[in-house]
Amino acid sequence: MNLDFGQITPYIPFMLEGIWVTLKFVFVALIFGFILGTLLALCKIGSIKLLNWFAIVYTSIFRGTPLILQLMIFYFAIPQLTGYDISPFLSAILAFGLNSAAYISEIIRAGIQAVDKGQTEAAMALGIPYKQMMKDIILPQAFKNILPALMNEVITLTKESALVSTISVLDLMRRAQVVGSDIYRSFEPLLFVGFIYWLMVFVLSSIGKVIERRLKVSD
Amino acid sequence: MIRVENLSKSFGKNEVLTNISTQISKGEVVAIIGPSGSGKSTFLRCLNVLENPSSGKILVENHDLTDSKTPIHKMRQQIGMVFQHFHLFPHMTVLENLTYAPMKAKGVKKQAAEQSARSLLHKVGLSEKESAYPSSLSGGQKQRVAIARALAMEPELMLFDEPTSALDPEMVKEVLDVMKDLAKSGMTMIVVTHEMGFAREVADRILFLDHGVLLEEGKPNDFFTNPKTERAKDFLDKIL
């Protein structure tokens, strides 16, 4: 055994900064994915054929190809096509946001369809317009049903975010590699960020549990 | 106030309502009875276009609800509906259930909406439940809240779709009492029901449906003591 955690001590602040990079990017990608995913879900359950079709094809493409491929396309292929020099951060947000929108749209669609049809009928019978009914009656109930699945998606996204290290975003993962090649030791920095990832996921799932409990007041 | 002309409704090849015509005037209480599967609920749900009629017209104060140009939200605001399974909004308190639609659909101010909601809750005997969530109420209480919620929109007409069928027997009376009070206050009501006692006592007119056809129409006394059709006789023999 040849372990020496003392060696990484000077690099700890450098690696910890990666938490913010990772969190910032996960957060933005998630908001983006959530909004787009909600819109896609509404397209899927709506009665406009063209939108149904679009949402289904969209989901099929983004679920049917590897995330790392999508990331590479945004970062390497788009500049070649358009000449626009896209930043690693922006392409990461686009790839992750668009990708998770596909998954989130499926989660939300299932959640909406699980809400009792009587709720729609009651709202319609009261003369409440569709948009308000969705916003105030259906989506809040759907959201409560899907919270565990949504939390799962957040956790997956947080961990998968390590993929952005391949396009040189200085996230947690990338920083561990940088430190590793600096001190010619891989195990300690990798183990260290591994612990940080676990800690982040642990905190996230605790927050999820608190929200779930809050939403249970009406049960 | 509501006129139905040659209403038919099919689900695919299955015709559930055939050529129904009738008229209901202001302040009238009409009970719709008939065997299960006779199309009573479908008929009621056509009246506020929760089901789209296949043909025919529904005129509420001379607005044709089957016309796509009629502003259906506005019309539905004048037609309250109470469902068999209540369909209260589970994520809102009792008071919010009552104030939501008036505030959002009619633009009533919060304070005014709450004030009238409280007086309605008082009327149905549930004042102390205003901040409870629906899940903590009994079936009878839920249905009374549902009636109050429909009334909060100040409708001209109330539709009841088997309002007591999902209730435990000992809770039927509290709901029927509220409905009786409502009938006395002059509300126009159309009630699909299996409660023959209620139909007999409260209704001004009975509509008897069988296999989607309006077979008989008449005063409760005439209908119950002297039904004109064989089918109605049969039905009454079985249930009374």
Side-chain angles (χ1 to χ4, degrees), chain B residues 77-197:
Chain B
Q77 288 169 18
Q78 302 172 31
I79 308 174
M81 185 162 196
V82 174
F83 299 88
Q84 180 177 1
H85 295 287
F86 333 122
H87 301 325
L88 294 176
F89 304 132
H91 58 304
M92 298 182 187
T93 64
V94 166
L95 194 70
E96 287 164 355
N97 262 281
L98 266 64
T99 55
Y100 174 72
M103 280 164 59
K104 286 295 158 93
K106 278 179 38 181
V108 178
K109 289 264 178 311
K110 187 170 184 204
Q111 214 181 359
E114 287 188 346
Q115 199 176 359
S116 61
R118 288 202 173 97
S119 98
L120 280 168
L121 282 178
H122 180 71
K123 246 186 225 161
V124 300
L126 289 168
S127 289
E128 78 282 11
K129 294 286 186 192
E130 67 165 63
S131 45
Y133 282 97
S135 58
S136 69
L137 303 178
S138 73
Q141 291 172 330
K142 279 183 198 164
Q143 196 60 298
R144 285 187 279 153
V145 172
I147 293 171
R149 176 178 69 176
L151 290 174
M153 289 297 281
E154 299 176 336
E156 303 283 330
L157 163 72
M158 286 282 284
L159 309 175
F160 293 84
D161 189 5
E162 303 195 23
T164 57
S165 298
L167 298 178
D168 290 336
E170 75 265 29
M171 290 168 185
V172 169
K173 189 174 173 297
E174 63 188 58
V175 171
L176 291 183
D177 284 346
V178 168
M179 290 170 63
K180 280 178 200 166
D181 285 345
L182 195 58
K184 263 184 227 147
S185 74
M187 176 63 77
T188 314
M189 292 163 67
I190 305 177
V191 188
V192 170
T193 187
H194 292 294
E195 294 291 329
M196 294 305 145

Side-chain angles (χ1 to χ4, degrees), chain A residues 167-180:
Chain A
I167 58 166
S168 72
V169 174
L170 268 177
D171 72 327
L172 263 176
M173 182 69 197
R174 180 83 190 133
R175 280 168 198 253
Q177 289 169 335
V178 169
V179 173

Side-chain angles (χ1 to χ4, degrees), chain A residues 3 5 8 15 176 186-197:
Chain A
L3 275 182
F5 282 93
I8 64 164
M15 285 193 284
S186 285
F187 195 85
E188 292 89 344
L190 286 178
L191 199 69
F192 180 74
V193 296
F195 175 71
I196 302 284
Y197 275 114

